[in-house]
Amino acid sequence: MPTLVHEFDWPDRVVVGTVGMPGSRTFYLQARSGTRTASVALEKEQSAVLAETIQRLLDELMADPDNRYTIPADVPEELIDNDPLDQPVEEEFRAGSMRLSWDPRTAQVVVEAYPLVEGDPEQDEDGDEPEPAEVLLVKMPVGTARAFAQRTRVVVRSGRPLCPRCDQPMDADGHECALPDEA
């Protein structure tokens, strides 16, 4: 069966956002072009690593003397997006592996998200892993990528506050510190 590709080339919008209350939020990578939207569930840590990796890629491109493209050091103001996720949020799949690349032909950052595969994936007769059932493929220009990374870092940090004593997340219904024993 061929892979279903949710492809967004130069999307109108691409963001990470959440549904739910801090402590029980679900993170989504959401892309939109026109009236077509796709949302893929992510782990909080996947979101953080994706933002950090995009930021590092853009910084490396800025520092590369052979790079012929202008990479913004800061987020262009017109690309800042603080709006909530587009509703309704309909999950295409939960992301397992992700791939990040740079397409120098179009000066775009490319994000690919593949479904989470439970257990060991079965291999075909050649020893290769089977093709995924679907994939989210988002190609975004550098300014959009910079804005995406900034917003994602803010979303990740906006969860439960950390306890000043033990540095662990505090729940709304209480918190018990597990301080190390004083000797």
Side-chain angles (χ1 to χ4, degrees), residues 82-103:
N82 294 320
D83 292 337
L85 292 171
D86 293 339
Q87 297 295 322
V89 176
E90 296 177 359
E91 182 178 313
E92 304 296 338
F93 57 87
R94 176 163 290 283
S97 63
M98 298 181 78
R99 186 177 352 187
L100 179 69
S101 60
W102 167 249
D103 185 346

Side-chain angles (χ1 to χ4, degrees), residues 113-135:
Y114 299 92
L116 178 65
V117 177
E118 298 293 336
D120 289 331
E122 294 184 21
Q123 297 180 344
D124 64 16
E125 57 274 356
D126 296 329
D128 296 328
E129 290 183 14
E131 291 293 317
E134 52 190 322
V135 61

Side-chain angles (χ1 to χ4, degrees), residues 4-8 14-19 26-32 37-44 46-47 50 85-86 88-99 111-116 134-138 148:
L4 173 60
V5 179
H6 307 278
E7 184 172 357
F8 293 84
V14 57
V15 296
V16 165
T18 61
V19 173
T26 301
F27 286 73
Y28 289 96
L29 167 58
Q30 188 178 74
R32 180 186 71 215
T37 302
S39 303
V40 172
L42 300 175
E43 294 296 325
K44 180 179 181 178
Q46 285 176 303
S47 303
L50 180 60
L85 292 171
D86 293 339
V89 176
E90 296 177 359
E91 182 178 313
E92 304 296 338
F93 57 87
R94 176 163 290 283
S97 63
M98 298 181 78
R99 186 177 352 187
V111 176
E112 297 170 76
Y114 299 92
L116 178 65
E134 52 190 322
V135 61
L136 175 66
L137 175 61
V138 180
F148 175 89

